[in-house]
Amino acid sequence: MDVTIRGAGVFGLSCAWAMARRGARVRVVDPAGVGAGASGGIVGALAPHVPEQWNDKKAFQLDSLLMAADWWAAVAEIGGGDPGYARIGRLQPIPDAVALERAEARGVEARTLWRGAATWEVVDAPKDWSPGGDRVIRDTLSARIHPARACDALARAIHALGGTIDTNATERGPVLHATGWQGLAEMRDDRGRAAGAPIKGQAVLLDLDRRDAPQLYLDGLHVVPHGDGTTAIGSTSEREFDHDRPDALADHLLDRARAALPVLADAPVLRHWAGLRPRARSRAPLMGAWPGRPGHFIANGGFKIGFGMAPKVAETIADLILDGTDRIPEAFRTDTLAPWRAED
């Protein structure tokens, strides 16, 4: 089967890879190229939702995070690229007695909800790599990935299986739209509202080698040590902005991180990054058939959890397009989108 994928961000590339592995002839089309939007970032914190108030979204994410190691290993093996994946875990602060009680209760929930595949526990804080306090939350489910390198690794794997990635090409077969915030802005729900909007994020990359350390969550920030000897600090969530370039807020981000974690103080800055991330109105990925447009499908709205969700999103979309099997959770469905009209 021929399949066309519009959008070479993490959702588009992941879905193309999943379908190519099943024998589809995939063609990815993106005028800007691979990972040109928010997917070409530097942070890559694959962190789970807290293990409580369980729902389909959290269960879907859990499945995706648990399948990620083998999934990304296959990408690297077939294409030869390195996505920078490692399940390094995460440490979070415990600011007070109420937070400690909540953390311990979540640890009990995790034993059941995470099916014994990962742990959430309270431990003594490490001396020189800690989000603060004497005791911290440690989970073993969180992982890291290098977003830009992961997109490159997916592109290499797609090419290795005979797929193509073009800036412009004729559509063939079913068409998957994974076009980021621009695509969400063009879609309307049944009340006439845009299906989503861009949220600006900024991050900073430091020359600091902590590749064997867990990622940290501190003062609302992610600190992610990468396997290449760099450490990323991110990110902002800006609803109002005048441009998509890094600005003073990136430096403010770094100041906050250095104030909370002194070991970052003297690490040289390698890069500032900014991008517009696609946030669906539902805050969950938007997946499924495009109402009123036969043969067209949507996978969009990854926002902050796109890379963590990508393996499961990709396999679920491949099930739908190639086999006609619909395993999409209710919270992710495209049913509330207004039917597409030819004049759109």
Side-chain angles (χ1 to χ4, degrees):
M1 176 188 290
D2 289 303
V3 182
T4 301
I5 299 92
R6 292 203 167 273
V10 66
F11 274 10
L13 293 169
S14 294
C15 292
W17 155 248
M19 289 187 279
R21 289 180 79 189
R22 302 190 194 189
R25 296 177 295 275
V26 301
R27 172 177 293 190
V28 181
V29 183
D30 194 318
V34 171
S39 293
I42 58 177
V43 180
L46 309 186
H49 293 290
V50 295
E52 65 179 12
Q53 298 178 347
W54 206 241
N55 55 37
D56 288 345
K57 179 180 177 180
K58 292 185 178 183
F60 190 99
Q61 187 201 43
L62 174 64
D63 288 344
S64 194
L65 291 173
L66 291 178
M67 67 191 285
D70 290 341
W71 199 87
W72 287 108
V75 170
E77 180 180 1
I78 296 297
D82 180 9
Y85 175 87
R87 191 166 147 184
I88 57 174
R90 176 180 58 168
L91 302 180
Q92 301 180 67
I94 303 175
D96 52 41
V98 174
L100 174 61
E101 183 178 357
R102 186 184 305 118
E104 291 174 337
R106 287 171 173 169
V108 174
E109 289 289 311
R111 293 170 197 164
T112 300
L113 297 174
W114 288 359
R115 309 194 295 263
T119 59
W120 171 294
E121 59 185 348
V122 175
V123 299
D124 292 336
K127 291 183 178 180
D128 65 341
W129 188 254
S130 169
D134 296 328
R135 304 275 281 169
V136 296
I137 300 165
R138 179 179 67 187
D139 81 75
T140 61
L141 183 55
S142 293
R144 69 169 180 231
I145 201 163
H146 192 293
R149 293 183 180 181
C151 287
D152 178 71
L154 283 166
R156 290 171 181 265
I158 291 166
H159 283 305
L161 294 181
T164 63
I165 302 175
D166 303 299
T167 56
N168 188 24
T170 303
E171 294 177 352
R172 295 177 182 172
V175 180
L176 175 67
H177 298 262
T179 48
W181 71 266
Q182 297 95 330
L184 290 178
E186 292 172 356
M187 300 172 194
R188 300 287 161 179
D189 66 13
D190 52 13
R191 297 175 59 183
R193 303 171 299 182
I199 303 294
K200 184 177 179 180
Q202 300 192 55
V204 180
L205 191 66
L206 302 180
D207 184 7
L208 179 68
D209 190 346
R210 289 299 177 110
R211 68 186 69 196
D212 297 323
Q215 62 176 280
L216 305 179
Y217 183 76
L218 52 88
D219 193 23
L221 306 176
H222 295 280
V223 179
V224 183
H226 286 299
D228 62 358
T230 63
T231 296
I233 312 296
S235 60
T236 63
S237 291
E238 304 166 47
R239 296 176 180 270
E240 297 182 5
F241 46 86
D242 297 324
H243 55 78
D244 60 359
R245 303 180 303 278
D247 55 36
L249 286 181
D251 292 322
H252 178 60
L253 187 84
L254 180 57
D255 290 342
R256 290 170 53 204
R258 284 175 164 167
L261 190 62
V263 70
L264 303 177
D266 298 323
V269 175
L270 297 175
R271 182 185 174 194
H272 291 77
W273 176 89
L276 304 183
R277 298 169 295 187
R279 179 184 179 276
R281 292 188 65 88
S282 65
R283 301 188 182 185
L286 191 61
M287 301 167 56
W290 193 330
R293 196 170 186 180
H296 289 251
F297 301 84
I298 297 166
N300 207 335
F303 191 35
K304 294 182 177 181
I305 59 174
F307 278 87
M309 290 287 208
K312 182 74 170 181
V313 167
E315 300 303 328
T316 303
I317 288 293
D319 286 341
L320 179 65
I321 293 178
L322 300 184
D323 304 330
T325 303
D326 188 344
R327 306 183 193 277
I328 300 172
E330 188 65 30
F332 297 8
R333 302 187 71 85
T334 56
D335 299 346
T336 59
L337 288 182
W340 177 82
R341 300 171 299 175
E343 59 267 30
D344 291 340

